[in-house]
């Protein structure tokens, strides 16, 4: 079973995808880490004419087996990721690894922006996670605070809005819910409640599929 979990920055999709992977015993890939690794690799060239070519080269040589989630979790990495993510050749270079992960025997859970639309349009279950910008800002702020990092909520809110705008305008992205995606709004849900709701959706879809298969 492939489960695609898409949604905007700080919507909780990563936590939910990890929870779903644990619940169903499936491997999990946070595809944002790939874009973050490419972004950080070319951080020094941001704003220069070499940025795009360097990002494409970095995407072609990124090693998914050594992604350090902690080092890639910074706001800077997120901003840089959304800048390299608009480059079509970067997306193309990262496609094969994501597709191979999705189609491995037994299935997988992937989270990102375009899993249900581009990477795994054939996923059995597609979730699109939503939460309003203020709730997303507050969650990200608490994550940083738990790590003992200083937080400027005003700046964080603007970073999230900026990243949303860049992602929504991405001509190569497909950052919209797939037509067959199930929307889950987590604005008012804590992690446990959101995971329960996500599991209920996945179980419901799979039960429906097995009912329809028996009727054929
Ligand atoms: O999910 P996360 O916040 O780590 O993603 C960082 C950035 O990487 C996103 O803002 C988006 O620009 C890009 N991204 C993407 N496609 C994905 C995952 C992430 O373009 N599948």
């Amino acid at each position: 079973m492939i489960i695609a979990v898409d949604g905007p920055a700080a919507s909780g999709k990563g936590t939910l995808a990890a929870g779903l992977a644990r619940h169903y015993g499936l491997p999990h890939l946070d595809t944002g880490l790939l874009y973050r690794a490419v972004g950080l690799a070319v951080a020094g060239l941001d704003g220069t004419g070499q940025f795009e070519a360097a990002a494409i080269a970095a995407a072609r040589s990124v090693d998914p087996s050594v992604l350090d989630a902690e080092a890639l979790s910074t706001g800077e990495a997120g901003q840089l990721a959304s800048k390299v993510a608009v480059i079509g050749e970067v997306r193309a270079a990262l496609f094969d690894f994501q597709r191979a992960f999705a189609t491995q025997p037994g299935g997988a859970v992937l989270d990102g922006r375009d899993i249900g639309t581009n990477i795994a349009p054939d996923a059995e279950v597609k979730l699109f996670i939503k939460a309003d910008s203020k709730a997303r800002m507050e969650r990200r702020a608490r994550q940083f605070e738990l790590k003992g990092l200083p937080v400027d909520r005003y700046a964080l809110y603007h970073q999230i809005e900026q990243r949303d705008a860049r992602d929504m305008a991405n001509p190569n992205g497909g950052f919209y819910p797939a037509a067959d995606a199930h929307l889950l709004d987590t604005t008012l849900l804590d992690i446990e409640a959101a995971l329960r709701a996500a599991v209920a959706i996945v179980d419901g879809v799979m039960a429906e599929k097995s009912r329809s298969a028996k009727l054929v």
Side-chain angles (χ1 to χ4, degrees):
M1 163 170 71
I2 303 175
I3 305 177
V5 185
D6 290 305
S11 57
K13 64 185 182 313
T15 310
L16 270 183
L20 287 170
R22 268 194 310 277
H23 184 84
Y24 294 104
L26 294 170
H28 167 222
L29 178 66
D30 170 355
T31 63
L33 292 180
L34 298 167
Y35 290 92
R36 285 169 178 263
V38 173
L40 274 191
V42 295
L45 297 172
D46 190 16
T48 73
Q50 291 126 283
F51 185 73
E52 184 164 327
I56 295 166
R60 288 183 181 149
S61 61
V62 73
D63 181 355
S65 66
V66 294
L67 298 174
D68 178 349
E70 189 58 33
L72 295 171
S73 70
T74 61
E76 187 204 4
Q79 290 292 340
L80 285 161
S82 69
K83 291 184 185 175
V84 299
V86 298
I87 305 168
E89 289 97 322
V90 166
R91 306 197 73 79
L94 298 177
F95 179 88
D96 287 349
F97 175 74
Q98 296 176 80
R99 180 68 193 157
F101 192 95
T103 55
Q104 65 188 290
V109 183
L110 290 86
D111 74 87
R113 299 289 187 292
D114 63 341
I115 308 303
T117 48
N118 288 324
I119 303 296
D122 50 346
E124 276 81 1
V125 191
K126 298 178 187 175
L127 296 171
F128 194 91
I129 313 302
K130 295 181 359 172
D132 76 29
S133 308
K134 261 175 119 177
R136 291 189 282 136
M137 178 277 285
E138 198 48 49
R139 283 179 197 159
R140 211 19 76 88
R142 290 214 204 97
Q143 281 172 357
F144 287 143
E145 281 168 352
L146 279 175
K147 291 181 189 165
L149 298 169
V151 174
D152 175 343
R153 283 178 161 67
Y154 182 77
L156 200 54
Y157 185 79
H158 279 278
Q159 272 178 22
I160 287 180
E161 295 259 291
Q162 230 180 16
R163 200 134 71 85
D164 280 355
R166 207 179 285 125
D167 284 347
M168 298 304 287
N170 187 338
N172 298 306
F175 295 158
Y176 44 84
D180 51 349
H182 296 260
L183 297 186
L184 176 57
D185 189 331
T186 65
T187 305
L188 301 173
L189 303 179
D190 62 18
I191 293 170
E192 289 76 23
L195 183 57
R196 275 197 302 275
V199 166
I201 293 172
V202 174
D203 286 350
V205 172
M206 295 314 284
E208 182 55 38
K209 279 187 194 290
S210 97
R211 257 196 305 275
S212 327
K214 278 182 198 143
L215 289 177
V216 178

